[in-house]
Amino acid sequence: MASVRYCKIGADVWQSVRYCKIGADVWQALLVRYYLSAVETMFDDSYFMQRALQEAQLAFEKDEIPVGAVVVQHNKIIGRGHNLTETLHDVTAHAEMIALTAAFNHMGAKYLPDATLYVTLEPCHMCAGALYWSKIGRIVVGAADEKHGYRRFYGSQSPFHPKTQLTTGVLADEGARLMKLFFQRKRSPL
């Protein structure tokens, strides 16, 4: 007879299993542990930033500034977006705003404390404000934006909710490369 006990510690779930005798239950527990570790490895920051880069590529193909974002909760994408400012004639149609709105609608809530936003470019001042009010749990940023990023306005001070964790530089080169290609294409004559 096996008893399973779950103990939530931070973002990780630790599983301890006690067995009275060795048998099929042991093999099942080993397989579950192997599967869980494989899933955690597969769904890392690079995986979800790749999904955000796919969104940025969609923006690029629409002749929009190539920024993409996805909102993830429990390893599931609950919101995605890419810049649509030209398409919608709306200066607020940034990737982060669209992804947040989709996530709010999906969850039926206005706060996302258990979610993570993956965005290919450092958020602007407006998007940083929206992220503050969303109380999002974590933000993962790709490339820095020296001209229009939130750090230009806030410096080393964080504009996000005090509980929000920030990770920067994930696949930054890929996001920066797409931005450079976009602006090179814009500036070069046909």
Side-chain angles (χ1 to χ4, degrees), residues 40-189:
E40 287 175 8
T41 302
M42 185 174 77
F43 293 124
D44 63 358
D45 286 346
S46 294
Y47 174 85
F48 288 114
M49 188 60 78
Q50 283 288 344
R51 305 293 79 77
L53 284 164
Q54 289 173 350
E55 288 294 318
Q57 183 63 41
L58 292 174
F60 183 88
E61 292 166 5
K62 294 177 182 177
D63 206 28
E64 297 274 358
I65 294 176
V67 178
V70 294
V71 178
V72 176
Q73 187 164 304
H74 306 301
N75 287 333
K76 180 182 175 193
I77 295 175
I78 60 171
R80 61 180 71 233
H82 54 272
N83 273 2
L84 290 171
T85 57
E86 301 299 325
T87 303
L88 298 177
H89 307 287
D90 179 358
V91 296
T92 67
H94 290 195
E96 302 94 323
M97 303 295 275
I98 292 169
L100 282 173
T101 300
F104 295 142
N105 287 329
H106 176 81
M107 297 302 294
K110 62 182 178 179
Y111 301 124
L112 300 169
D114 298 323
T116 300
L117 172 81
Y118 292 85
V119 61
T120 60
L121 186 69
E122 178 183 334
C124 71
H125 185 63
M126 173 188 69
C127 292
L131 289 165
Y132 174 87
W133 288 109
S134 74
K135 298 182 182 180
I136 197 152
R138 185 166 175 247
I139 300 168
V140 179
V141 176
D145 185 354
E146 310 292 325
K147 263 187 168 175
H148 303 290
Y150 70 86
R151 285 185 283 187
R152 180 172 178 232
F153 301 96
Y154 293 97
S156 62
Q157 197 172 21
S158 175
F160 308 118
H161 192 273
K163 293 183 180 178
T164 299
Q165 298 173 0
L166 179 65
T167 303
T168 59
V170 176
L171 299 180
D173 292 340
E174 290 84 342
R177 191 175 304 116
L178 193 57
M179 290 291 285
K180 286 176 186 168
L181 181 61
F182 175 79
F183 285 108
Q184 284 173 352
R185 193 177 77 174
K186 282 288 192 191
R187 291 181 182 118
S188 67

